[in-house]
Amino acid sequence: MPPIVAIVGRPNVGKSTLFNRLAKRQKAITHDRPGVTRDRLEATVELDGRVATLIDTGGMDFDAEEGLARQIVVQAEIALTMADVVLFLVDGKAGRTALDDEMAERLRRIDKPVVVAVNKVDGAERIAALTGDFHAWGFPLLPVSAAHGHGVNDLAEALAERLPEPVEQAPSDPLEAGIRLAVLGRPNAGKSSLVNAMVGEDRLIVSEVAGTTRDAVDVVVMRGGKRYVFVDTAGVRKRTRITDNLERFSVGKALSSAKRADVAVVVIDGTGGVGVQDKRLISYLFKERTPFLIVVNKVDLVPQKDMLALKKAIQEELRMCGHVPVLYLSAMKGKGVAKVLPLAETIWKECQIRVGTGELNRAMRTVLDKHQPPLVNGRRAKFYYLTQAAEPPPTFVFFVSDTERVRDSYAKYLENALRKLFGITMAPVSVVCRASHKPKEA
């Protein structure tokens, strides 16, 4: 594993901005509001030629005794425990504070290299004025501007110098790449609890406060020689209820994560039933042809007499995408959680099905002979040939004489027939009809 550098500091000193700058991509959400980062974020970075894992943490408020603020501190303390080098970020414009002093005192007691970066130093002429107070701690110190990139290369070099020397290890079997799962749903549906249950540790902050997760947080877990990535995302709410710019950005990142994932997991709060936003999210994933499954969480809190009505409601909402599997579980109790990963892998395996053109066209003739296209204005569409254009997910292209004579209902029949013939029961399938005036030449 690469050595770890943890960025710590009080709220709103620019940790996420510096994290993005060192990672060379916009991975963490940045905002003027304090406390935006809550869970710890990780990224693989290169520091002056050395590969390292960089961890961004939430602002530490040591006076917090319980609740969300305390959990943020706990996650930051875990990052400190894991770290090989600590990057202590302070705000040069705001100056040295009592909370900075307390942080420095704690870092002095740990047996790890510490580098202090004084942020928001935007010009060489201001270095002395903005960094003077921080020299009293005795740590190595560098002025930087995370927003503009000033001093960041020098900081990367200083961090690289303090990383432990690589240890020669006997070669081991490489880990096979597992799937990437994006966990989506409304606020407080139990997404972070589900990820924690699948990972087997309290990796993400769980709170009754809706909207606790803001960033799309990648959590890596090893299972059976494979490396899986779970992406916990911000709760997706109805657009008209999103009045906050920060939340709007968080929701945008959640939907973007769904597009980049191999399989999406939609978490529904079983105690509240299927909400309007659940329906919209399902519709969005269906239209985007995103592979997904549905997890109905908190079923331990649903009275037994209400379970049948809940299952009927779920089935009703999935009429348009009956191929999507549904699991009923309790993330907090751990019941049913073990089924999520194998089911997601089955969906992803189906997404990669590839069928040869010859087999496809024999199948097309079987399907057309069983049920011919309907007459439209006295004429039927002629189907010439069929090919698979892409995967994943499987996309089948029919070349026909006139696409306007192929009704949606008949296209659905074609999709269902292909699913049955090739054993695609849970993955999305795309059927496309294209106009062609003559059959494909041999």
Side-chain angles (χ1 to χ4, degrees):
M1 297 292 290
I4 294 172
V5 176
I7 306 177
V8 299
R10 61 182 177 81
N12 211 34
V13 294
K15 294 184 296 297
S16 294
T17 302
L18 183 58
F19 176 86
N20 288 338
R21 178 70 65 176
L22 290 169
K24 298 180 181 178
R25 61 188 185 276
Q26 189 75 12
K27 185 173 175 67
I29 293 177
T30 57
H31 199 277
D32 291 338
R33 182 184 308 167
V36 170
T37 301
R38 291 171 172 177
D39 294 294
R40 62 182 196 265
L41 300 178
E42 299 179 5
T44 301
V45 301
E46 185 176 313
L47 301 173
D48 196 36
R50 292 288 305 276
V51 175
T53 297
L54 187 65
I55 301 181
D56 183 24
T57 65
M60 300 181 78
D61 179 2
F62 298 110
D63 293 331
E65 297 181 357
E66 57 184 16
L68 180 59
R70 181 58 199 161
Q71 290 191 61
I72 292 172
V73 173
V74 169
Q75 290 295 320
E77 288 175 338
I78 291 172
L80 279 176
T81 302
M82 298 167 59
D84 296 291
V85 177
V86 179
L87 173 52
F88 178 21
L89 191 65
V90 294
D91 185 337
K93 288 186 177 179
R96 185 171 143 201
T97 69
L99 191 54
D100 291 329
D101 285 336
E102 185 174 356
M103 185 79 214
E105 184 59 32
R106 290 183 180 230
L107 293 179
R108 197 174 281 112
R109 293 197 295 265
I110 68 174
D111 187 22
K112 294 180 180 181
V114 176
V115 175
V116 174
V118 183
N119 194 22
K120 305 179 185 179
V121 181
D122 298 325
E125 71 282 357
R126 306 192 67 195
I127 291 177
L130 297 181
T131 64
D133 286 347
F134 301 102
H135 285 285
W137 296 330
F139 294 125
L141 182 150
L142 290 95
V144 299
S145 171
H148 300 102
H150 302 321
V152 172
N153 289 337
D154 291 338
L155 176 62
E157 183 178 343
L159 293 171
E161 289 174 354
R162 289 162 176 80
L163 293 176
E165 290 299 319
V167 178
E168 291 292 334
Q169 293 182 335
S172 59
D173 294 333
L175 284 172
E176 183 182 345
I179 57 178
R180 182 180 178 91
L181 298 99
V183 185
L184 307 168
R186 286 185 292 161
N188 219 24
K191 299 181 294 299
S192 296
S193 296
L194 178 62
V195 174
N196 284 341
M198 289 191 291
V199 172
E201 63 172 285
D202 290 338
R203 173 61 180 81
L204 299 169
I205 293 174
V206 177
S207 171
E208 294 179 358
V209 178
T212 299
T213 302
R214 286 172 171 169
D215 276 293
V217 183
D218 289 7
V219 180
V220 178
V221 63
M222 312 304 177
R223 289 283 187 276
K226 291 185 178 181
R227 179 181 184 273
Y228 297 93
V229 179
F230 298 98
V231 185
D232 186 32
T233 63
V236 180
R237 292 204 297 170
K238 190 174 180 181
R239 188 174 296 275
T240 54
R241 293 181 181 173
I242 302 175
T243 57
D244 183 282
N245 287 335
L246 173 58
E247 185 178 356
R248 192 180 303 277
F249 187 35
S250 299
V251 170
K253 288 198 72 172
L255 296 178
S256 176
S257 296
K259 290 184 179 181
R260 292 185 291 105
D262 297 323
V263 179
V265 179
V266 177
V267 182
I268 294 175
D269 183 347
T271 62
V274 185
V276 173
Q277 197 56 20
D278 294 322
K279 299 175 186 178
R280 294 191 180 190
L281 182 55
I282 291 170
S283 178
Y284 170 83
L285 295 174
F286 175 67
K287 290 177 181 177
E288 293 289 324
R289 292 293 188 268
T290 301
F292 72 101
L293 63 101
I294 290 177
V295 164
V296 182
N297 191 25
K298 306 182 186 180
V299 293
D300 55 312
L301 303 178
V302 179
Q304 193 62 39
K305 62 182 178 63
D306 295 334
M307 279 301 298
L308 183 59
L310 176 61
K311 290 182 177 181
K312 284 184 176 180
I314 295 289
Q315 291 174 353
E316 180 68 19
E317 295 309 322
L318 289 179
R319 283 182 304 168
M320 62 180 176
C321 46
H323 62 279
V324 176
V326 182
L327 289 176
Y328 295 85
L329 55 78
S330 169
M332 292 300 291
K333 300 286 186 180
K335 294 181 179 178
V337 172
K339 298 178 181 179
V340 175
L341 195 53
L343 185 58
E345 286 205 301
T346 300
I347 295 171
W348 183 238
K349 186 176 180 180
E350 287 187 4
C351 284
Q352 299 174 84
I353 286 176
R354 186 78 193 184
V355 186
T357 301
E359 186 178 359
L360 277 175
N361 282 279
R362 288 191 294 272
M364 183 187 76
R365 291 302 154 200
T366 301
V367 171
L368 293 175
D369 290 344
K370 185 175 182 180
H371 180 31
Q372 286 191 335
L375 289 168
V376 178
N377 296 327
R379 299 179 63 184
R380 301 182 198 276
K382 293 182 180 180
F383 283 71
Y384 296 131
Y385 64 99
L386 169 63
T387 186
Q388 185 174 353
E391 97 288 332
T395 300
F396 300 101
V397 181
F398 289 87
F399 288 87
V400 301
S401 58
D402 188 348
T403 57
E404 293 184 0
R405 297 185 190 277
V406 182
R407 299 294 193 207
D408 289 344
S409 57
Y410 194 71
K412 188 65 178 176
Y413 160 73
L414 295 173
E415 177 190 329
N416 291 336
L418 292 172
R419 283 183 176 280
K420 187 173 182 180
L421 284 169
F422 302 119
I424 307 173
T425 60
M426 293 180 284
V429 169
S430 183
V431 170
V432 180
C433 291
R434 290 183 183 166
S436 179
H437 296 295
K438 56 182 179 181
K440 183 179 181 181
E441 296 180 1

